[in-house]
Amino acid sequence: MRKFHEDLQETAKPVWDAMLGHQFLADTASGAIPRQTFANWMKQDYIFVREAIPFFSVLAAKAPTSLRRNFSDTLTALHQELDLFRKMANEHNVGLESVKASPTCHAYLQFLMATAYGRSFLEGFTVLYAAEKAYLDSWTWVKSNLKGASPWQPFIENWAGDAFRGYVDWLAATLDELAVGASSQVLQDPKELFILTGQYECLFWEMAAGSESWPVEL
Ligand code: MP5
């Protein structure tokens, strides 16, 4: 029988295809991406990762006892990731401190928090898996299509390396266990949230590529 995470990926395939076909990834892989455009992503993703920590912490509060250790380890990894952003920003003269979330980044983060607070642990965990799987697949695509050396290699390695792949595999296996015995009706909401998270991931690349802004910048 097909596993739950495979079922999710099958259902969301058109969204994943759109994500992996995004120009931002193609330009990052080919080296054609303007530094300014990459910096847009860097600034917004710094905010995203920083504010994903509360999402993750709310989810951790709902986690079964057996998963607490894994959640603590991931929290440590998120802080290390923020260090990577600060190091890269420093090396490439990108200012991170006064950055505000763009409309897409803001909406995505609100969605994460609403899911963590208002939905079941299974639903929150599905969204976490979707976001991590999106980055694993997006950056693995970049790594596989890379033309020559990239100034962004540490980011590529962060999400396309073995450690991150192992973590996402663990998320998939854990999600499958959480879904065992659930009726197809109970699994319907997580499925929709998985697709929605994929849609936000597409929007995030689109936002980074186009330097989206609020109508009035104050
Ligand atoms: C991730 C991310 C992966 N950094 N940014 C977006 C927009 N989606 C997913 O999360 P993490 O915590 O960096 O592994």
Side-chain angles (χ1 to χ4, degrees), residues 23-93:
Q23 197 63 38
F24 186 97
L25 300 181
D27 289 350
T28 301
S30 72
I33 195 132
R35 281 181 173 265
Q36 206 50 48
T37 306
F38 199 85
N40 284 338
W41 168 80
M42 210 194 291
K43 290 177 190 170
Q44 290 299 319
D45 213 49
Y46 175 72
I47 303 280
F48 181 88
V49 175
R50 193 185 71 196
E51 300 310 318
I53 290 175
F55 158 72
F56 198 77
S57 304
V58 174
L59 204 55
K62 293 185 170 184
T65 321
S66 59
L67 299 185
R68 283 188 192 152
R69 179 67 180 261
N70 301 80
F71 268 83
S72 308
D73 292 348
T74 306
L75 212 45
T76 303
L78 287 176
H79 284 287
Q80 284 166 352
E81 202 169 278
L82 288 177
D83 289 339
L84 171 68
F85 273 92
R86 290 187 202 105
K87 181 170 175 284
M88 289 294 280
N90 194 32
E91 281 173 22
H92 293 274
N93 284 317

Coordinates of all heavy atoms in Angstrom, one line a residue, residues 23-93:
Q23 N 11.7 30.1 -12.3 CA 12.9 30.7 -12.8 C 14.0 31.1 -11.8 O 15.2 31.0 -12.1 CB 12.4 32.1 -13.5 CG 13.4 32.7 -14.5 CD 13.7 31.8 -15.7 OE1 12.8 31.1 -16.2 NE2 14.9 31.7 -16.1
F24 N 13.5 31.4 -10.6 CA 14.5 31.7 -9.5 C 15.5 30.5 -9.3 O 16.7 30.7 -9.2 CB 13.8 32.0 -8.2 CG 14.7 32.4 -7.1 CD1 14.8 33.8 -6.8 CD2 15.4 31.5 -6.3 CE1 15.7 34.2 -5.8 CE2 16.3 32.0 -5.4 CZ 16.4 33.3 -5.1
L25 N 15.0 29.3 -9.3 CA 15.9 28.1 -9.2 C 16.8 27.9 -10.4 O 17.9 27.6 -10.3 CB 15.0 26.9 -8.9 CG 14.1 26.9 -7.6 CD1 13.4 25.6 -7.5 CD2 15.0 27.2 -6.4
A26 N 16.1 28.1 -11.6 CA 16.9 27.9 -12.8 C 18.1 28.9 -12.9 O 19.2 28.6 -13.2 CB 16.0 28.1 -14.0
D27 N 17.8 30.2 -12.5 CA 18.8 31.2 -12.6 C 19.9 31.0 -11.5 O 21.0 31.4 -11.6 CB 18.2 32.6 -12.4 CG 17.4 33.0 -13.7 OD1 17.5 32.3 -14.7 OD2 16.7 34.0 -13.7
T28 N 19.4 30.5 -10.3 CA 20.4 30.2 -9.2 C 21.4 29.1 -9.7 O 22.6 29.2 -9.5 CB 19.7 29.8 -7.9 OG1 18.8 30.9 -7.6 CG2 20.7 29.6 -6.8
A29 N 20.8 28.1 -10.4 CA 21.6 27.0 -10.8 C 22.6 27.4 -12.0 O 23.7 27.0 -12.0 CB 20.7 25.8 -11.3
S30 N 22.1 28.3 -12.9 CA 22.9 28.6 -14.0 C 23.9 29.7 -13.7 O 24.9 29.9 -14.4 CB 22.0 29.1 -15.2 OG 21.5 30.4 -14.9
G31 N 23.7 30.4 -12.6 CA 24.6 31.5 -12.2 C 24.1 32.8 -12.7 O 24.7 33.9 -12.5
A32 N 22.9 32.8 -13.4 CA 22.4 34.1 -14.0 C 21.7 35.0 -13.0 O 21.3 36.1 -13.4 CB 21.5 33.8 -15.2
I33 N 21.5 34.5 -11.9 CA 20.6 35.2 -10.9 C 21.4 36.5 -10.5 O 22.5 36.5 -10.1 CB 20.3 34.4 -9.7 CG1 19.1 35.0 -8.9 CG2 21.4 34.1 -8.7 CD1 18.0 34.1 -8.6
P34 N 20.7 37.7 -10.6 CA 21.3 38.9 -10.2 C 21.5 38.9 -8.6 O 20.7 38.3 -7.9 CB 20.3 40.0 -10.6 CG 19.5 39.4 -11.6 CD 19.4 37.9 -11.3
R35 N 22.6 39.5 -8.2 CA 22.9 39.4 -6.7 C 21.8 40.0 -5.9 O 21.4 39.6 -4.8 CB 24.2 40.2 -6.4 CG 25.4 39.3 -6.7 CD 26.7 39.9 -6.5 NE 27.7 38.8 -6.7 CZ 28.2 38.0 -5.8 NH1 27.9 38.2 -4.5 NH2 29.1 37.1 -6.1
Q36 N 21.2 41.1 -6.5 CA 20.1 41.8 -5.8 C 18.9 40.9 -5.6 O 18.2 40.9 -4.6 CB 19.7 43.0 -6.6 CG 19.0 44.1 -5.8 CD 19.9 44.5 -4.6 OE1 21.1 44.7 -4.7 NE2 19.2 44.6 -3.5
T37 N 18.6 40.0 -6.6 CA 17.5 39.1 -6.6 C 17.8 38.0 -5.5 O 16.9 37.7 -4.7 CB 17.3 38.5 -7.9 OG1 17.1 39.5 -8.9 CG2 16.0 37.6 -8.0
F38 N 19.0 37.5 -5.5 CA 19.3 36.5 -4.5 C 19.2 37.1 -3.1 O 18.8 36.5 -2.2 CB 20.7 35.9 -4.8 CG 20.8 34.6 -4.1 CD1 20.3 33.4 -4.6 CD2 21.3 34.5 -2.8 CE1 20.4 32.2 -4.0 CE2 21.4 33.3 -2.1 CZ 21.0 32.1 -2.7
A39 N 19.7 38.4 -3.0 CA 19.6 39.1 -1.7 C 18.2 39.2 -1.2 O 17.9 39.1 0.0 CB 20.3 40.4 -1.8
N40 N 17.2 39.4 -2.2 CA 15.8 39.5 -1.8 C 15.4 38.2 -1.0 O 14.8 38.2 0.0 CB 14.9 39.6 -3.0 CG 14.9 40.9 -3.6 OD1 15.2 41.9 -3.0 ND2 14.5 40.9 -4.9
W41 N 15.8 37.1 -1.7 CA 15.4 35.8 -1.1 C 16.1 35.7 0.3 O 15.5 35.3 1.3 CB 15.9 34.6 -2.0 CG 15.8 33.4 -1.2 CD1 14.7 32.6 -1.0 CD2 16.9 32.7 -0.5 NE1 15.0 31.6 -0.1 CE2 16.3 31.6 0.2 CE3 18.2 33.0 -0.4 CZ2 17.1 30.7 0.9 CZ3 19.0 32.2 0.4 CH2 18.4 31.0 1.1
M42 N 17.4 36.0 0.4 CA 18.2 35.9 1.6 C 17.5 36.6 2.7 O 17.4 36.1 3.8 CB 19.6 36.4 1.4 CG 20.7 35.6 2.2 SD 22.3 36.5 2.3 CE 22.8 36.3 0.6
K43 N 17.1 37.9 2.5 CA 16.5 38.7 3.5 C 15.2 38.1 4.0 O 14.9 38.0 5.2 CB 16.3 40.1 3.0 CG 17.5 40.9 2.8 CD 17.1 42.2 2.2 CE 18.2 43.0 1.7 NZ 17.8 44.2 0.9
Q44 N 14.4 37.7 3.0 CA 13.1 37.2 3.4 C 13.1 35.8 4.0 O 12.4 35.5 4.9 CB 12.1 37.2 2.2 CG 11.8 38.6 1.7 CD 11.0 39.4 2.8 OE1 10.1 38.8 3.4 NE2 11.3 40.7 2.9
D45 N 14.1 35.0 3.6 CA 14.2 33.7 4.2 C 14.8 33.7 5.6 O 14.5 32.9 6.4 CB 14.9 32.7 3.3 CG 14.4 31.3 3.4 OD1 13.1 31.2 3.3 OD2 15.1 30.4 3.6
Y46 N 15.6 34.7 5.8 CA 16.1 34.9 7.2 C 15.0 35.2 8.1 O 14.9 34.6 9.2 CB 17.1 36.1 7.2 CG 17.6 36.5 8.6 CD1 18.5 35.6 9.2 CD2 17.2 37.6 9.2 CE1 19.0 36.0 10.5 CE2 17.6 38.0 10.5 CZ 18.5 37.1 11.1 OH 18.9 37.4 12.4
I47 N 14.1 36.1 7.7 CA 12.9 36.4 8.5 C 12.0 35.1 8.7 O 11.5 34.8 9.7 CB 12.0 37.5 7.8 CG1 12.8 38.7 7.6 CG2 10.7 37.7 8.7 CD1 12.9 39.6 8.7
F48 N 11.9 34.4 7.5 CA 11.1 33.2 7.6 C 11.6 32.2 8.6 O 10.9 31.6 9.4 CB 11.0 32.6 6.2 CG 10.1 31.3 6.1 CD1 8.8 31.4 5.9 CD2 10.7 30.1 6.3 CE1 8.0 30.3 5.8 CE2 9.9 28.9 6.3 CZ 8.5 29.0 6.1
V49 N 12.9 31.9 8.5 CA 13.5 30.9 9.4 C 13.4 31.4 10.9 O 13.1 30.6 11.8 CB 15.0 30.6 9.0 CG1 15.6 29.6 10.0 CG2 15.0 29.9 7.6
R50 N 13.7 32.7 11.1 CA 13.6 33.2 12.4 C 12.2 33.0 13.0 O 12.1 32.6 14.2 CB 14.0 34.7 12.4 CG 14.3 35.3 13.7 CD 14.6 36.8 13.6 NE 13.3 37.5 13.3 CZ 13.3 38.7 12.9 NH1 14.4 39.4 12.6 NH2 12.1 39.3 12.6
E51 N 11.2 33.4 12.2 CA 9.8 33.3 12.7 C 9.2 31.9 12.6 O 8.1 31.7 13.1 CB 9.0 34.3 12.0 CG 9.5 35.8 12.2 CD 9.7 36.1 13.7 OE1 8.9 35.7 14.5 OE2 10.8 36.7 14.0
A52 N 10.0 31.0 11.9 CA 9.5 29.6 11.9 C 9.8 29.0 13.3 O 9.2 27.9 13.6 CB 10.2 28.8 10.8
I53 N 10.7 29.6 14.1 CA 11.1 29.0 15.4 C 9.8 29.0 16.3 O 9.5 27.9 16.9 CB 12.3 29.7 16.0 CG1 13.5 29.3 15.1 CG2 12.5 29.4 17.4 CD1 14.8 30.0 15.5
P54 N 9.1 30.1 16.4 CA 7.8 30.0 17.2 C 6.8 29.0 16.7 O 6.2 28.3 17.4 CB 7.2 31.4 17.2 CG 8.3 32.3 16.6 CD 9.4 31.5 16.1
F55 N 6.7 28.9 15.3 CA 5.8 27.8 14.8 C 6.2 26.5 15.2 O 5.4 25.7 15.7 CB 5.9 27.9 13.2 CG 5.5 26.6 12.5 CD1 4.1 26.3 12.5 CD2 6.4 25.8 11.9 CE1 3.7 25.1 11.8 CE2 6.0 24.6 11.3 CZ 4.7 24.3 11.2
F56 N 7.5 26.2 15.1 CA 8.1 24.9 15.5 C 7.9 24.7 17.0 O 7.6 23.5 17.4 CB 9.6 25.0 15.1 CG 10.2 23.7 15.0 CD1 9.9 22.9 13.9 CD2 10.9 23.2 16.1 CE1 10.5 21.6 13.9 CE2 11.5 21.9 16.0 CZ 11.2 21.1 14.9
S57 N 8.0 25.7 17.8 CA 7.9 25.6 19.3 C 6.5 25.3 19.7 O 6.3 24.5 20.6 CB 8.4 26.8 20.0 OG 9.7 27.1 19.5
V58 N 5.5 25.9 19.0 CA 4.1 25.6 19.3 C 3.8 24.2 18.9 O 3.1 23.4 19.7 CB 3.2 26.6 18.6 CG1 1.7 26.2 18.8 CG2 3.4 28.0 19.1
L59 N 4.3 23.7 17.8 CA 4.1 22.4 17.4 C 4.8 21.4 18.4 O 4.2 20.4 18.7 CB 4.8 22.2 16.0 CG 4.2 21.1 15.1 CD1 2.7 21.2 14.9 CD2 4.9 21.2 13.7
A60 N 6.0 21.8 18.8 CA 6.7 20.9 19.8 C 5.9 20.7 21.1 O 5.9 19.6 21.7 CB 8.1 21.6 20.1
A61 N 5.1 21.8 21.5 CA 4.3 21.7 22.7 C 3.2 20.7 22.5 O 2.7 20.1 23.5 CB 3.8 23.1 23.0
K62 N 2.8 20.4 21.3 CA 1.8 19.4 21.1 C 2.3 18.0 20.7 O 1.5 17.1 20.5 CB 0.9 19.9 19.9 CG 0.1 21.1 20.1 CD -0.8 21.4 18.9 CE -1.8 22.5 19.1 NZ -2.7 22.7 18.0
A63 N 3.6 17.9 20.6 CA 4.2 16.7 20.1 C 4.1 15.5 21.2 O 4.2 15.8 22.4 CB 5.7 16.9 19.8
P64 N 3.9 14.3 20.7 CA 4.0 13.2 21.6 C 5.4 13.1 22.3 O 6.4 13.6 21.7 CB 3.8 11.9 20.7 CG 3.6 12.4 19.4 CD 3.7 13.9 19.3
T65 N 5.4 12.6 23.5 CA 6.7 12.5 24.3 C 7.8 11.9 23.4 O 9.0 12.4 23.5 CB 6.5 11.6 25.5 OG1 5.2 11.9 26.0 CG2 7.5 11.9 26.6
S66 N 7.6 10.9 22.6 CA 8.6 10.2 21.9 C 9.3 11.1 20.9 O 10.4 10.8 20.4 CB 8.0 9.0 21.2 OG 7.0 9.5 20.3
L67 N 8.7 12.3 20.5 CA 9.3 13.1 19.5 C 10.0 14.4 20.1 O 10.5 15.1 19.3 CB 8.2 13.6 18.5 CG 7.4 12.5 17.7 CD1 6.5 13.2 16.7 CD2 8.4 11.6 17.0
R68 N 9.9 14.5 21.4 CA 10.5 15.7 22.0 C 11.9 15.9 21.7 O 12.4 17.0 21.5 CB 10.2 15.7 23.5 CG 8.8 16.1 23.8 CD 8.6 16.3 25.3 NE 7.2 16.3 25.6 CZ 6.7 16.0 26.8 NH1 7.5 15.5 27.8 NH2 5.4 16.0 27.0
R69 N 12.7 14.8 21.8 CA 14.1 14.9 21.6 C 14.4 15.4 20.2 O 15.3 16.3 20.0 CB 14.7 13.5 21.8 CG 16.2 13.4 21.6 CD 17.0 14.2 22.7 NE 18.4 14.2 22.5 CZ 19.2 13.3 23.2 NH1 18.7 12.5 24.1 NH2 20.5 13.3 23.0
N70 N 13.7 14.9 19.2 CA 13.9 15.3 17.8 C 13.6 16.8 17.6 O 14.3 17.5 16.9 CB 13.0 14.5 16.9 CG 13.3 13.0 17.0 OD1 12.8 12.3 17.9 ND2 14.1 12.4 16.1
F71 N 12.5 17.2 18.3 CA 12.1 18.6 18.2 C 13.2 19.5 18.7 O 13.5 20.6 18.2 CB 10.8 18.8 18.8 CG 9.6 18.7 17.9 CD1 9.1 17.4 17.6 CD2 9.1 19.8 17.2 CE1 8.0 17.3 16.7 CE2 8.0 19.7 16.3 CZ 7.5 18.4 16.1
S72 N 13.8 19.1 19.9 CA 14.9 19.9 20.5 C 16.1 20.0 19.5 O 16.7 21.1 19.3 CB 15.4 19.4 21.8 OG 14.4 19.1 22.6
D73 N 16.4 18.9 18.9 CA 17.5 18.9 18.0 C 17.3 19.8 16.8 O 18.2 20.5 16.3 CB 17.8 17.4 17.5 CG 18.3 16.5 18.6 OD1 18.7 17.0 19.7 OD2 18.4 15.3 18.4
T74 N 16.1 19.8 16.3 CA 15.8 20.6 15.1 C 15.8 22.1 15.5 O 16.2 22.9 14.7 CB 14.4 20.2 14.5 OG1 14.4 18.8 14.3 CG2 14.1 21.0 13.3
L75 N 15.4 22.4 16.7 CA 15.4 23.8 17.2 C 16.9 24.3 17.2 O 17.1 25.4 16.7 CB 14.8 23.8 18.6 CG 14.1 25.1 19.0 CD1 13.1 25.6 17.9 CD2 13.3 24.8 20.3
T76 N 17.8 23.5 17.6 CA 19.2 23.8 17.6 C 19.7 24.0 16.1 O 20.4 25.0 15.9 CB 20.0 22.7 18.2 OG1 19.5 22.5 19.5 CG2 21.5 23.0 18.3
A77 N 19.2 23.2 15.2 CA 19.6 23.3 13.8 C 19.1 24.6 13.2 O 19.8 25.2 12.4 CB 19.1 22.1 13.0
L78 N 17.9 25.0 13.6 CA 17.3 26.3 13.1 C 18.2 27.4 13.5 O 18.4 28.4 12.7 CB 15.9 26.5 13.6 CG 14.8 25.6 12.9 CD1 13.5 25.8 13.6 CD2 14.8 25.8 11.4
H79 N 18.7 27.4 14.8 CA 19.6 28.5 15.2 C 20.9 28.5 14.5 O 21.4 29.6 14.1 CB 19.8 28.4 16.7 CG 18.6 28.9 17.5 ND1 18.2 30.3 17.6 CD2 17.6 28.3 18.1 CE1 17.1 30.4 18.3 NE2 16.7 29.2 18.6
Q80 N 21.4 27.3 14.2 CA 22.6 27.2 13.4 C 22.4 27.8 12.0 O 23.3 28.4 11.4 CB 23.1 25.8 13.3 CG 23.7 25.3 14.6 CD 23.9 23.8 14.7 OE1 23.5 23.1 13.9 NE2 24.6 23.4 15.8
E81 N 21.2 27.5 11.5 CA 20.9 28.0 10.1 C 20.9 29.5 10.1 O 21.3 30.2 9.2 CB 19.5 27.4 9.7 CG 19.3 27.4 8.3 CD 18.0 26.6 8.0 OE1 18.2 25.4 7.9 OE2 17.0 27.2 7.8
L82 N 20.3 30.1 11.2 CA 20.3 31.6 11.3 C 21.7 32.1 11.3 O 22.0 33.2 10.7 CB 19.6 32.1 12.5 CG 18.0 31.9 12.5 CD1 17.4 32.3 13.8 CD2 17.4 32.7 11.3
D83 N 22.7 31.4 11.9 CA 24.1 31.8 11.9 C 24.6 31.8 10.5 O 25.4 32.7 10.1 CB 24.9 30.8 12.8 CG 24.6 31.0 14.3 OD1 24.1 32.1 14.6 OD2 24.9 30.1 15.0
L84 N 24.2 30.8 9.7 CA 24.6 30.7 8.3 C 24.2 31.9 7.5 O 24.9 32.5 6.7 CB 24.1 29.4 7.7 CG 24.3 29.3 6.2 CD1 25.8 29.1 5.8 CD2 23.5 28.0 5.6
F85 N 22.9 32.3 7.7 CA 22.4 33.5 7.0 C 23.2 34.7 7.4 O 23.5 35.5 6.5 CB 20.9 33.7 7.4 CG 19.9 32.9 6.6 CD1 19.5 31.7 6.9 CD2 19.4 33.5 5.4 CE1 18.6 31.0 6.2 CE2 18.5 32.8 4.6 CZ 18.1 31.5 5.0
R86 N 23.5 34.9 8.7 CA 24.2 36.1 9.1 C 25.6 36.1 8.5 O 26.1 37.1 8.1 CB 24.3 36.1 10.7 CG 22.9 36.4 11.3 CD 23.0 36.6 12.8 NE 21.8 36.4 13.4 CZ 21.4 35.3 14.1 NH1 22.3 34.4 14.4 NH2 20.2 35.2 14.6
K87 N 26.2 34.9 8.5 CA 27.6 34.8 7.9 C 27.6 35.2 6.4 O 28.4 36.0 5.9 CB 28.1 33.4 8.1 CG 29.5 33.1 7.7 CD 30.0 31.7 8.2 CE 31.3 31.4 7.6 NZ 31.3 30.9 6.2
M88 N 26.6 34.6 5.7 CA 26.6 34.8 4.2 C 26.2 36.3 4.0 O 26.7 36.9 3.0 CB 25.5 33.9 3.6 CG 25.9 32.4 3.6 SD 27.3 32.1 2.5 CE 26.6 32.1 0.9
A89 N 25.3 36.8 4.8 CA 24.9 38.2 4.5 C 26.0 39.1 4.8 O 26.3 40.1 4.0 CB 23.7 38.5 5.5
N90 N 26.8 38.8 5.8 CA 28.0 39.6 6.1 C 29.0 39.5 4.9 O 29.5 40.6 4.5 CB 28.6 39.1 7.4 CG 29.6 40.0 8.0 OD1 29.5 41.2 7.8 ND2 30.6 39.5 8.6
E91 N 29.3 38.4 4.4 CA 30.2 38.2 3.3 C 29.8 38.9 2.0 O 30.6 39.3 1.2 CB 30.4 36.7 3.0 CG 31.3 36.0 4.0 CD 31.4 34.5 3.9 OE1 31.1 34.0 2.8 OE2 31.7 33.8 4.8
H92 N 28.4 39.0 1.8 CA 27.9 39.5 0.6 C 27.3 40.9 0.8 O 26.6 41.4 -0.1 CB 26.9 38.5 0.0 CG 27.6 37.2 -0.5 ND1 28.1 37.1 -1.7 CD2 27.7 36.1 0.2 CE1 28.6 35.9 -1.8 NE2 28.4 35.2 -0.7
N93 N 27.6 41.5 1.9 CA 27.1 42.9 2.2 C 25.6 43.0 2.0 O 25.1 43.9 1.4 CB 27.7 43.9 1.2 CG 29.2 44.2 1.6 OD1 29.4 44.3 2.8 ND2 30.1 44.2 0.6

